[in-house]
Amino acid sequence: MKLDDLRRPTIVEVVTPTCGACRAMASDLEAVAAEFDGRVDLAVVDAAAHPEVAAELGVRGTPTLIGVRDGAERFRTVGRRTRRELRELFVALAADERPGRVGHLDLLLRVGAGASLVVMGIVLGAVPVAVVGVAAVVVGAVAWWRGPR
Amino acid sequence: MKDFVNEAPWERIARVVLGIVLLYLGWSGTVTGGLGTFLKIIGFVPLLTGLVGWCPLYAIFGTSTNRKDEAARTT
């Protein structure tokens, strides 16, 4: 399997038969994939049966989920994910966004509004406003620094 | 707390701006008395819901103004 052959939005799941986390996540992944049937495809690779494919994909652990769109990898996660997290991955891929990463709007709102609130709080002597402003700036900056999950 | 952003980008900006305006009116003393105190508190509601992008009322009624998420769900 080559990622650049996948032109449609596709989640590539790499698993092994002995992977407990893979089996635990299987029903949730199947349910979410069914919700997005026709919009996001699901491709499953058995790393034990096809180790060369797993190696080519750079997979080092299972389960690995690789989000692919227009032949390019958009994101990659390793480890079990909850159904809610899986839906976020599918939604992000369908909407051509990177999941878990703070977008420009979020950064603008949190840091920009936060800074405005801090200034306003200081000028007006409104401590709660300044505190909320600081919190907004910190949350926005930390989320941006963490990047995609 | 939230499963997804259920507010459109324009609405989030509007909520944040409204929240800042309400908080300014209350905390600056432009509006005094009980109304001023009310604005000091209520201003945080649109501000925080705009920053987070999630409205609890939208979630309760199962609606959303975030067309991008709806498009991803329905197209």
Side-chain angles (χ1 to χ4, degrees):
Chain A
M1 170 187 289
K2 293 187 181 299
L3 296 184
D4 52 14
D5 290 337
L6 301 173
R7 310 312 297 181
R8 288 172 47 82
T10 303
I11 298 283
V12 178
E13 183 195 22
V14 182
V15 300
T16 59
T18 57
C19 169
C22 303
R23 289 195 299 273
M25 192 175 74
S27 61
D28 286 337
L29 182 59
E30 189 178 326
V32 174
E35 287 180 41
F36 286 81
D37 184 35
R39 289 171 282 149
V40 178
D41 298 334
L42 176 65
V44 181
V45 175
D46 184 339
H50 304 284
E52 73 288 354
V53 175
E56 189 175 340
L57 295 175
V59 173
R60 302 193 185 284
T62 57
T64 291
L65 296 176
I66 305 172
V68 182
R69 192 179 172 109
D70 297 323
E73 177 176 332
R74 296 304 180 99
F75 57 78
R76 174 182 298 232
T77 73
V78 180
R80 183 182 176 185
R81 292 286 177 264
T82 63
R83 183 176 294 207
R84 181 179 69 86
E85 291 170 328
L86 290 172
R87 289 198 77 255
E88 289 179 0
L89 297 178
F90 276 74
V91 167
L93 191 62
D96 198 14
E97 286 185 343
R98 297 177 70 187
R101 183 174 180 86
V102 176
H104 289 100
L105 175 64
D106 287 284
L107 183 65
L108 174 68
L109 285 177
R110 293 172 186 176
V111 177
S116 302
L117 290 171
V118 170
V119 171
M120 189 169 78
I122 292 173
V123 170
L124 299 177
V127 174
V129 174
V131 169
V132 172
V134 170
V137 171
V138 171
V139 169
V142 169
W144 182 261
W145 174 76
R146 284 180 63 191
R149 290 188 292 254
Chain B
M1 177 177 76
K2 64 179 179 68
D3 289 330
F4 62 96
V5 173
N6 60 11
E7 298 169 2
W10 63 264
E11 181 179 352
R12 295 183 65 188
I13 294 172
R15 283 179 182 242
V16 169
V17 171
L18 175 65
I20 291 177
V21 169
L22 294 178
L23 288 172
Y24 176 79
L25 292 175
W27 288 96
S28 67
T30 303
V31 178
T32 58
L35 182 59
T37 301
F38 177 75
L39 292 180
K40 286 180 181 180
I41 299 171
I42 204 67
F44 285 109
V45 174
L47 173 73
L48 293 176
T49 56
L51 288 176
V52 173
W54 180 78
C55 177
L57 290 179
Y58 285 178
I60 289 172
F61 292 107
T63 187
S64 169
T65 58
N66 186 3
R67 297 303 173 201
K68 183 178 293 185
D69 180 63
E70 288 186 3
R73 289 167 182 270
T74 60
T75 57

